[in-house]
Amino acid sequence: MKTLLFTKEIEATAQKVWDVLWNPETYSKWTSAFNPDDPESGSMQTDWQVGGKTLFLGNSGNGMVATIKSIDEPYELVFEHLGEMIDGREDTTSERVKVWAGSLEEYYLTEQNGITTLRTSVQIPDGDEVEEIMDRGFTEGLEVVKRLAEQ
């Protein structure tokens, strides 16, 4: 696995940044960077429980299946990817998803003097074609988080 790291300094409280990241009204705004052909398409459905179910979905209903590995609002949220949602069905057992099942997507927020540092990382399989999508998505998406949180 390869880990991609992203850091953004934001002039806002950790709680404000957290809210921009995870509130439905703003989540789709920053995650649209992962799918520029379908802006405002992202949605996240979660029970907010460690070990529970989280779905990251596009307008088509396809996307990722994950679980929350750890949560400490507003400072930490770690997802563990389990599989894909395709045509309304979860796939957590195919060879395609086994390659990256168990990979982590991590969000850490630290606040000092009104500035929040958002550190994000995502694990991807070595040589995976998704690297460019993730790099663009997080680079552009976290800039949107910054803009929204600083308003």
Side-chain angles (χ1 to χ4, degrees):
M1 286 281 183
K2 179 178 187 175
T3 301
L4 304 179
L5 303 170
F6 306 91
T7 302
K8 185 64 66 179
E9 300 269 323
I10 302 171
E11 292 184 34
T13 64
Q15 186 64 58
K16 176 84 184 266
V17 175
W18 178 278
D19 291 344
V20 169
L21 284 167
W22 309 120
N23 283 345
E25 304 81 45
T26 50
Y27 177 82
S28 62
K29 290 180 174 31
W30 77 269
T31 58
S32 68
F34 291 92
N35 189 4
D37 296 332
D38 192 8
E40 311 248 341
S41 67
S43 70
M44 183 178 76
Q45 300 169 11
T46 185
D47 58 11
W48 293 106
Q49 300 298 309
V50 171
K53 186 180 289 187
T54 300
L55 302 175
F56 300 98
L57 302 172
N59 280 338
S60 65
N62 294 338
M64 309 287 289
V65 178
T67 189
I68 293 175
K69 190 168 173 106
S70 65
I71 184 170
D72 179 19
E73 182 178 345
Y75 303 108
E76 174 185 324
L77 185 55
V78 178
F79 297 102
E80 180 179 359
H81 291 286
L82 305 175
E84 292 181 313
M85 180 71 81
I86 301 174
D87 298 326
R89 291 187 12 244
E90 287 184 30
D91 174 11
T92 58
T93 59
S94 73
E95 292 304 314
R96 174 183 158 92
V97 299
K98 284 182 182 177
V99 172
W100 50 265
S103 65
L104 301 179
E105 183 174 332
E106 302 172 304
Y107 298 81
Y108 296 101
L109 296 85
T110 54
E111 182 182 342
Q112 187 170 16
N113 300 322
I115 307 252
T116 297
T117 302
L118 171 59
R119 290 181 179 82
T120 303
S121 66
V122 63
Q123 295 175 331
I124 60 171
D126 291 324
D128 196 285
E129 70 275 358
V130 76
E131 181 173 352
E132 185 178 323
I133 294 166
M134 291 292 155
D135 189 53
R136 180 188 67 235
F138 279 106
T139 300
E140 295 175 9
L142 295 183
E143 191 58 39
V144 173
V145 170
K146 177 181 173 67
R147 181 175 47 80
L148 292 172
E150 290 180 347
Q151 289 181 347

